[in-house]
Amino acid sequence: MAFKEIGRRFPAIDLALVPIAPARGGNKNHADPKEALQIFADVGARYMIPIHFEAYHSTAVPLDEPRKRLGEEVERMGLEDRVFALRTGERWMLPDGEGASPWVTHEKAPEPRKAAAR
């Protein structure tokens, strides 16, 4: 109910950053993939980026399960152009122009500089 209230109070949310736990539901601080998509719907945001779901390892859930389950739900709901599960090093870009679609960059991080030989 609180997320619907957020959507009512702030009707023009562009981006929801929703924490997803490497768990199978019932976590009061993080949502599972299906719960995260419900939060996204409740706040009424235009786009969603899930966060934290690959930040740490759970012995109860394989590391790739939250991303896989989220992808399945996103596809089932037809939200591929609105939900962006970024990987490390990717950036989500929201264009300035009206009607243009957001995109994800795949930039390589610069190589670390080596210390000068003495």
Side-chain angles (χ1 to χ4, degrees):
M1 194 64 170
F3 295 109
K4 287 183 180 181
E5 179 61 23
I6 291 169
R8 276 194 289 277
R9 290 182 65 196
F10 305 98
I13 297 172
D14 284 322
L15 177 63
L17 301 171
V18 182
I20 295 180
R24 295 186 174 119
N27 183 315
K28 57 186 204 174
N29 297 315
H30 290 76
D32 72 16
K34 196 169 190 174
E35 292 166 336
L37 291 171
Q38 185 60 57
I39 291 168
F40 172 51
D42 288 351
V43 300
R46 287 175 54 199
Y47 305 105
M48 175 184 140
I49 294 177
I51 59 173
H52 298 171
F53 63 103
E54 293 171 331
Y56 61 94
H57 180 69
S58 165
T59 57
V61 179
L63 186 61
D64 64 342
E65 184 176 310
R67 178 181 291 276
K68 186 169 133 186
R69 288 182 54 215
L70 177 68
E72 292 167 356
E73 284 296 311
V74 164
E75 186 175 334
R76 184 183 70 75
M77 298 173 77
L79 297 172
E80 295 91 344
D81 60 339
R82 297 185 57 209
V83 177
F84 297 84
L86 303 177
R87 295 189 183 278
T88 301
E90 292 182 330
R91 290 188 310 160
W92 181 79
M93 306 296 293
L94 182 61
D96 291 336
E98 194 63 34
S101 297
W103 71 91
V104 175
T105 66
H106 305 278
E107 299 171 9
K108 184 178 177 188
E111 294 292 323
R113 293 174 24 158
K114 295 186 182 198
R118 295 185 187 243

